[in-house]
Amino acid sequence: MAVDQSKRTLLSYWWVLPVAGTVGAFGYMANYARRVTFSKTVPDQPRYQSGPKQRVAALSDLRGPYSFKEFTYQKTPCLLMQLPQPTPTSLSVGGRHFAAYSRLCTHLGCQVNPIEDTELLALTYNYRAQHPMLGCPCHFSVFDPQQQGASVFGKALHPLARVQLTEQGGQIYAQGLEPDPRVEPPA
Ligand code: FES
């Protein structure tokens, strides 16, 4: 009889495990949502580390807003892009604006790609934008080239590292790069 009673008591708590599991899952998701929404750092004062002056492209290589050219600087895959508007750290030449970023995603280091088709971006990244973005194919973080490489969606918390640009004689040069935010996160 005593055994039956203890069995009955035990069975009366059958609901504890699924409820605890559900509460834990919701807690995890809420914490994840809070982290990827409110913990992102925004691009601030650039932290360029000087490097060799390296030719990246001729001005004539880029033919309009969001046209781009890939290059490697200091062993880092990078991307130069023409922007429709200047940013606080972009290079402006003759009314045209340029910015360059490391292509290393600040989440786990996959290479970001330009996503020119905003419908494709909405479908594959679940992020709707008004202009082309840089997207990471690994976990679908999205970075905005017009906001100095800020992470605007997804797991990446930090902006892409910016490349310091200069122009001379119709040629665009790289001459510095910010540290990888995964190694030296911005304050
Ligand atoms: Fe880019 Fe995870 S490596 S989102």
Side-chain angles (χ1 to χ4, degrees):
M1 285 304 258
V3 173
D4 278 356
Q5 181 60 36
S6 63
K7 259 189 193 164
R8 262 199 296 277
T9 308
L10 203 60
L11 283 173
S12 69
Y13 288 108
W14 65 269
W15 53 272
V16 170
L17 264 183
V19 167
T22 306
V23 169
F26 273 107
Y28 173 82
M29 286 190 289
N31 187 45
Y32 171 78
R34 179 199 57 75
R35 208 167 63 85
V36 300
T37 305
F38 300 112
S39 302
K40 292 187 188 298
T41 56
V42 292
D44 201 351
Q45 291 301 314
R47 305 180 295 152
Y48 298 131
Q49 294 175 343
S50 304
K53 189 172 172 181
Q54 176 186 313
R55 181 186 175 281
V56 172
L59 289 172
S60 56
D61 290 341
L62 292 110
R63 299 189 174 274
Y66 299 110
S67 57
F68 62 89
K69 184 176 179 191
E70 295 167 14
F71 65 101
T72 301
Y73 185 67
Q74 303 272 63
K75 298 184 179 166
T76 302
C78 298
L79 184 128
L80 169 71
M81 188 173 262
Q82 183 174 339
L83 301 175
Q85 303 292 333
T87 74
T89 49
S90 61
L91 169 73
S92 293
V93 185
R96 299 169 67 197
H97 315 291
F98 304 91
Y101 304 101
S102 160
R103 291 182 63 198
L104 297 180
C105 175
T106 57
H107 178 222
L108 294 179
C110 293
Q111 286 196 26
V112 302
N113 299 310
I115 314 285
E116 298 172 83
D117 182 339
T118 53
E119 282 306 312
L120 182 70
L121 182 76
L123 276 176
T124 54
Y125 286 72
N126 197 26
Y127 183 79
R128 192 159 283 283
Q130 301 302 314
H131 59 78
M133 294 278 177
L134 300 170
C136 176
C138 289
H139 311 103
F140 304 106
S141 284
V142 178
F143 301 86
D144 188 347
Q146 189 59 66
Q147 288 187 56
Q148 301 186 76
S151 168
V152 292
F153 181 75
K155 292 185 169 188
L157 298 181
H158 302 303
L160 298 170
R162 291 166 288 190
V163 180
Q164 187 175 24
L165 297 175
T166 185
E167 185 269 343
Q168 194 175 16
Q171 306 292 320
I172 298 176
Y173 295 86
Q175 61 177 19
L177 176 64
E178 289 189 298
D180 186 334
R182 291 172 300 149
V183 181
E184 286 183 44

